[in-house]
Amino acid sequence: MGTLIGHVAPGFGFLLIGLWHLYNHTKLYSLHPRSYRFFPWFPAAKLRHLELFLIAAGSCASIAMELFIGPQRHQPLDPDLTIPSNHLHNFEHASISLTFLLYAAFAFTFDRTRPARPAAEPLTILAASAAFAQQLFLFHLHSSDHMGVEGQYHWLLQLVIAVSLITTLMGIGYPRSFSVGFVRSVSIGFQGIWFIVMGYALWTPALIPKGCFMNEEDGHYVVRCSSDEALHRAKSLANIEFSWSLAAVVSLSLLFYLLLSSRYVEKMEYSSIAKSTGEMETEEMDLEEERSSFLSLGKAMRNVDLER
């Protein structure tokens, strides 16, 4: 991951997933505000598990790049099968990708298992939470320099990851909160944006802050500064970039909600007044069971697209 493409590629992945979730959460809440429910992933119209397949494919590609393609010997170990110091960060990045791969695999398995398990949805959310927790843990205790410019970018990234982790866990206790789903989607997209910003800011020579330079250390390039004043200035610039990015993400997310909510208007459901109380309670129970199923969610989304 310690390259331009190593940050930009996963950044686009996070951004794509974040936008996909933001679109679906906003669409579902706009159409069905009373029956809205938090979901950790969303089925696609043509290929139901496309999101999970993309997460799994991206994770596998990241692991292969970190452990087999990136290293000069195409394997990250020393001749005595120990992990050299210059490849510790490769194993850290691969461990993050492995956790996301496990999340995608178990989410797919839970969704395909019939009959559906009662705890499938909360356990899927826990698996997603574990992936974000692993990401936060390894970036917090990263083997790379914590004091330099890259460390400042990583510290700011941890703030966004923490929001993703907290809101994912809140999805278990507050499954009908649109705010939880909205903030989680925005935070995932913001992770992607910040990865892209890091990639260009730290590995594009023309964008290196004044007084700093790219230095090759242990087989990869890092940004070093010639003085404490230059380092302080570079960190301050990173903070400013983060604040501007945050303002842009919040503004665009709210604008996205306004535009999408005006396109998808709430669907009113009418029922006969003559229905008995018992019949209405039975229908409500059936409807609740349908809402808790990912399968019914996929069908509902396809029906909405057909009606349009």
Side-chain angles (χ1 to χ4, degrees), residues 4-16:
L4 172 62
I5 189 63
H7 284 77
V8 173
F12 274 112
F14 276 102
L15 179 58
L16 180 63

Side-chain angles (χ1 to χ4, degrees), residues 134-276:
Q134 176 87 300
Q135 186 186 19
L136 179 61
F137 167 73
L138 289 175
F139 272 114
H140 183 70
L141 300 177
H142 205 281
S143 60
S144 298
D145 183 17
H146 284 278
M147 305 302 294
V149 180
E150 184 178 355
Q152 184 69 12
Y153 279 91
H154 283 172
W155 187 85
L156 294 170
L157 175 64
Q158 293 173 48
L159 300 178
V160 188
I161 298 174
V163 175
S164 299
L165 171 60
I166 293 172
T167 51
T168 301
L169 286 172
M170 289 178 66
I172 300 177
Y174 302 93
R176 299 193 180 280
S177 173
F178 171 71
S179 299
V180 171
F182 185 86
V183 174
R184 179 179 184 267
S185 304
V186 173
S187 68
I188 294 175
F190 193 10
Q191 279 195 57
I193 292 175
W194 194 242
F195 269 118
I196 296 172
V197 171
M198 276 199 300
Y200 282 104
L202 296 176
W203 282 276
T204 303
L207 299 179
I208 300 298
K210 183 171 60 177
C212 300
F213 55 93
M214 297 184 68
N215 187 47
E216 185 177 3
E217 299 178 6
D218 295 329
H220 64 282
Y221 287 94
V222 295
V223 176
R224 296 299 181 194
C225 297
S226 56
S227 64
D228 291 339
E229 180 181 358
L231 176 60
H232 177 74
R233 179 178 179 274
K235 289 184 176 181
S236 298
L237 288 175
N239 296 337
I240 293 174
E241 290 172 7
F242 184 84
S243 64
W244 286 354
S245 299
L246 177 61
V249 167
V250 171
S251 301
L252 292 175
S253 299
L254 296 179
L255 181 61
F256 183 85
Y257 169 78
L258 289 175
L259 295 176
L260 202 61
S261 60
S262 62
R263 179 180 180 183
Y264 296 103
V265 183
E266 177 183 358
K267 295 180 64 177
M268 302 299 295
E269 298 178 359
Y270 299 93
S271 59
S272 174
I273 301 178
K275 287 184 178 180
S276 65

